[in-house]
Amino acid sequence: MKQAAFERLHQADWHEFATRLDALERGKPSPSQASSFPAAYRQLCQQLALAESRGYSSQLVDQLRQLTLRGHQQFYRHRSPLPGRVLGFIVGGFAREVRDQWRYVLTASLLFYGSLIGMAALVYAFPELVYSVLPPDQVAQMEQMYDPDASRLGRFAERGAGDDWLMFGYYVMNNIGIAFQTFASGLLFGLGTLFFLLFNGLTIGAVAGHLSSIGYHQPFWSFVIGHGAFELTAITLAGAAGLQLGVALLAPGRQTRAEALRQAAKRGIQLVGGATLFLLIAAFVEAYWSSMTLATPAIKYIVGTLLWLIVAAYFCLAGRGQHAAE
Amino acid sequence: MPSTLDRQALLDTYLRVETPEGIDLLLRPAGLVPRALAFAIDLAIRAAILLALFITLGLLGKFGMGLATLLLFLVQWWYMVLFEVLNQGRTPGKSWLGLRVVHDDGTPVGWSSSLTRNLLRFVDMLPFGYFLGALSCLGHPAFKRLGDLAAGTLVVYQEKSMARPPLPEAEPAPTPLALTLDEQRALIGFAERHGSLSAERRLELASILAAPLGTTEEHAETKIHGIARSLVGAP
């Protein structure tokens, strides 16, 4: 068939396909446009293949290629509704991912909690060590924040409802930013992640050891136990995701480095997404619950322990049901 | 049979992606400069949004500042992701420069890969001013920065709609000798491009074929146009 005849035969189809694409790209296709789209797309693919093999002019081939490329974009677009996927992820997918990647989670936890507990014990035993990790003015600020005589605890002592909001925003930005950086810097052969895990572990450990040794343990521990369940876990999860990137670059195994990196990022980003959710919860708890002085420390310890148990139970049990494979 | 012309390695930076439908898509990756410009535009837009936010919400006191901090977080980390996923792979800056983000296989970018490539921006920016990202971009055949490598994404030029030039007027002429598909396509291509070539260049190109087509150098161009018309089957 000559090119001109071919064009005359299909020109109307191509026009219709283009308008259909416009509707799909704007996200408002009519039901008939949407339902017959796959058939029309495949037909176009066939026409492109014909045009190429029959040696039609490159202008025509290019035009068809462009239509196909746009069609490809629409055809392979992910259309499952986001709320459903997020819900499925929260209900079980996240816990499953964490269990699947337990090696990395365990390594990150050991690094983080190891440095935290080690540093806390050291500072508790040798109080002057705190100044090797933190500058003196920051130590003074910490002491002021957790002064047992203050009516409200946390970063700014005296505060009202507006401050809770301000602190919520601050915690979200600061902590999630740190989690993102912990993950991303794993791309530097894992060194960045290692740095953030150890740095955060040592700093938090030094603060904890110092405040315990000067007798501020009650306000400090009752303050951090509640949101710590979510915040500390989230840091280790972001660290686990970052370590995977580093391992993929250092020991890609049988794949190329690029392929290993892609797969590690694909797995890791799930942990980062979950860690983000955890940090949102942590920010909420920290801004509205941990800073309250109405509840006695005893209640805070109970609630805090309960939150830790809930987190542990979530990772152990969620997503193990019969629909877990979905 | 696909023509041999298409199967050869391409001289330009086109990437060939074979789809499940058995056809080849051509993607044209964008280089460092347009990407940097797109990023600069996005940066300016974000700066303007943040300025407006802090001025208006600053009036609301501490509640407003809390809200502003939350929005700052959203704009800082999610601006790119939201636009890329919800707007066909285009942030305003990319859209301005005619770029879009796609997966390596030409499919539209999704939540997790968009989040990955944008979170890893943090490393691309190290140690200052996108140094690592620029290095990686200049070194990679498809101009990928580190975030693109990990997420398996590409920044490509968006396809522009193009007008088809009409074939030049000429008396349709039969081909004097048997032509392969590539030769036929070359003749048609010459006729289609006549508008973008200078008269001297057209004469120069056409005169190469004067002897094989059995005509003089002056008439070779009209002869080729005629053959092209008859090959296409234009009236």
Side-chain angles (χ1 to χ4, degrees):
Chain A
M1 187 185 281
K2 297 262 187 185
Q3 179 181 333
F6 182 75
E7 279 186 65
R8 268 197 303 280
L9 191 62
H10 298 300
Q11 195 78 57
D13 290 347
W14 299 335
H15 270 296
E16 206 216 304
F17 193 77
T19 49
R20 201 195 291 256
L21 279 176
D22 286 336
L24 282 164
E25 277 164 9
R26 280 198 311 274
K28 306 186 195 64
S30 68
S32 68
Q33 274 177 326
S35 64
S36 58
F37 176 72
Y41 172 60
R42 296 228 149 87
Q43 199 170 20
L44 183 75
C45 288
Q46 190 229 357
Q47 284 157 5
L48 169 63
L50 270 181
E52 276 185 351
S53 65
R54 285 176 181 167
Y56 290 156
S57 80
S58 10
Q59 296 270 357
L60 176 68
V61 171
D62 283 352
Q63 190 192 10
L64 289 180
R65 258 206 193 118
Q66 251 178 34
L67 271 184
T68 335
L69 185 57
R70 283 172 68 193
H72 183 73
Q73 294 275 323
Q74 296 307 315
F75 192 70
Y76 290 100
R77 183 167 294 287
H78 219 66
R79 285 188 196 277
S80 66
L82 186 66
R85 276 165 60 208
V86 169
L87 198 67
F89 184 67
I90 294 173
V91 166
F94 177 37
R96 233 172 5 249
E97 281 297 327
V98 171
R99 283 198 299 273
D100 277 356
Q101 302 167 43
W102 66 271
R103 277 166 237 264
Y104 293 101
V105 176
L106 185 68
T107 314
S109 302
L110 286 179
L111 282 168
F112 177 66
Y113 290 116
S115 59
L116 194 160
I117 294 169
M119 194 67 206
L122 274 177
V123 170
Y124 194 77
F126 309 99
E128 68 279 10
L129 259 183
V130 70
Y131 297 105
S132 65
V133 180
L134 294 170
D137 54 328
Q138 215 170 329
V139 175
Q141 194 196 345
M142 286 290 164
E143 286 175 11
Q144 190 200 342
M145 268 164 51
Y146 296 103
D147 193 332
D149 300 329
S151 68
R152 289 180 87 85
L153 302 167
R155 207 160 291 269
F156 295 106
E158 301 291 328
R159 33 186 250 188
D163 297 85
D164 285 349
W165 252 97
L166 181 59
M167 291 324 291
F168 179 61
Y170 174 81
Y171 292 139
V172 165
M173 210 184 89
N174 190 49
N175 297 347
I176 299 185
I178 288 176
F180 284 173
Q181 285 169 5
T182 306
F183 164 64
S185 56
L187 205 55
L188 305 169
F189 300 99
L191 291 177
T193 305
L194 219 56
F195 167 78
F196 277 107
L197 280 176
L198 293 178
F199 176 78
N200 283 311
L202 292 177
T203 318
I204 299 173
V207 170
H210 178 68
L211 292 175
S212 300
S213 73
I214 62 170
Y216 287 5
H217 50 88
Q218 187 82 313
F220 175 73
W221 288 106
S222 68
F223 177 74
V224 296
I225 189 169
H227 60 265
F230 299 101
E231 199 171 299
L232 301 184
T233 312
I235 294 179
T236 58
L237 291 180
L243 287 180
Q244 290 193 53
L245 295 184
V247 168
L249 287 176
L250 290 173
R254 293 187 187 183
Q255 297 149 318
T256 62
R257 281 207 165 67
E259 183 56 33
L261 182 64
R262 256 200 298 281
Q263 296 197 359
K266 208 170 169 181
R267 288 191 305 265
I269 201 73
Q270 310 272 337
L271 296 191
V272 175
T276 309
L277 284 175
F278 264 43
L279 286 169
L280 279 178
I281 301 174
F284 192 78
V285 174
E286 185 169 4
Y288 292 101
W289 164 256
S290 300
S291 62
M292 265 182 21
T293 36
L294 292 175
T296 62
I299 297 179
K300 286 202 171 169
Y301 284 129
I302 294 171
V303 172
T305 315
L306 223 77
L307 289 176
W308 276 99
L309 287 177
I310 289 174
V311 169
Y314 172 74
F315 285 127
C316 292
L317 303 175
R320 281 200 198 271
Q322 51 183 351
H323 299 295
E326 284 170 12
Chain B
M1 269 296 288
S3 74
T4 50
L5 192 75
D6 280 346
R7 288 291 158 199
Q8 286 163 9
L10 298 167
L11 283 176
D12 43 32
T13 55
Y14 274 117
L15 283 186
R16 199 184 282 288
V17 175
E18 192 175 349
T19 73
E21 288 79 18
I23 53 163
D24 286 338
L25 294 180
L26 291 183
L27 298 173
R28 212 174 128 215
L32 181 61
V33 173
R35 293 183 61 175
L37 286 177
F39 181 78
I41 292 172
D42 282 326
L43 198 65
I45 293 175
R46 277 185 288 179
I49 294 175
L50 288 181
L51 200 66
L53 265 179
F54 276 93
I55 289 173
T56 49
L57 291 173
L59 302 174
L60 288 175
K62 286 192 165 158
F63 170 76
M65 286 316 281
L67 203 61
T69 325
L70 278 181
L71 291 170
L72 168 70
F73 168 75
L74 270 183
V75 171
Q76 190 187 351
W77 289 102
W78 292 89
Y79 168 93
M80 295 283 195
V81 178
L82 290 176
F83 270 114
E84 280 174 10
V85 178
L86 300 177
N87 192 28
Q88 319 271 336
R90 292 171 305 197
T91 60
K94 290 195 180 72
S95 170
W96 194 297
L97 280 149
L99 308 178
R100 76 156 85 214
V101 183
V102 293
H103 285 139
D104 286 337
D105 57 1
T107 54
V109 70
W111 286 104
S112 63
S113 36
S114 175
L115 190 61
T116 308
R117 73 185 293 278
N118 284 304
L119 288 190
L120 294 182
R121 235 173 242 291
F122 173 72
V123 179
D124 277 311
M125 287 186 202
L126 293 176
F128 57 87
Y130 269 98
F131 184 75
L132 285 183
L135 268 191
S136 155
C137 188
L138 289 173
H140 195 277
F143 312 125
K144 289 182 172 207
R145 62 176 177 82
L146 297 173
D148 286 321
L149 282 173
T153 52
L154 271 176
V155 179
V156 296
Y157 283 102
Q158 220 172 314
E159 55 286 356
K160 290 193 205 76
S161 65
M162 45 183 184
R164 300 266 314 278
L167 287 180
E169 285 303 325
E171 189 65 27
T175 47
L177 59 160
L179 294 173
T180 66
L181 267 183
D182 287 344
E183 286 162 351
Q184 290 182 17
R185 186 181 276 177
L187 290 186
I188 300 173
F190 175 78
E192 276 178 338
R193 289 174 60 209
H194 81 286
S196 59
L197 299 172
S198 70
E200 292 80 14
R201 180 68 176 149
R202 287 205 302 271
L203 183 69
E204 187 189 347
L205 286 172
S207 59
I208 301 171
L209 289 181
L213 294 178
T215 153
T216 61
E217 292 195 356
E218 298 84 70
H219 292 111
E221 191 186 336
T222 349
K223 175 91 174 177
I224 294 174
H225 288 170
I227 296 174
R229 283 191 88 85
S230 87
L231 282 174
V232 168

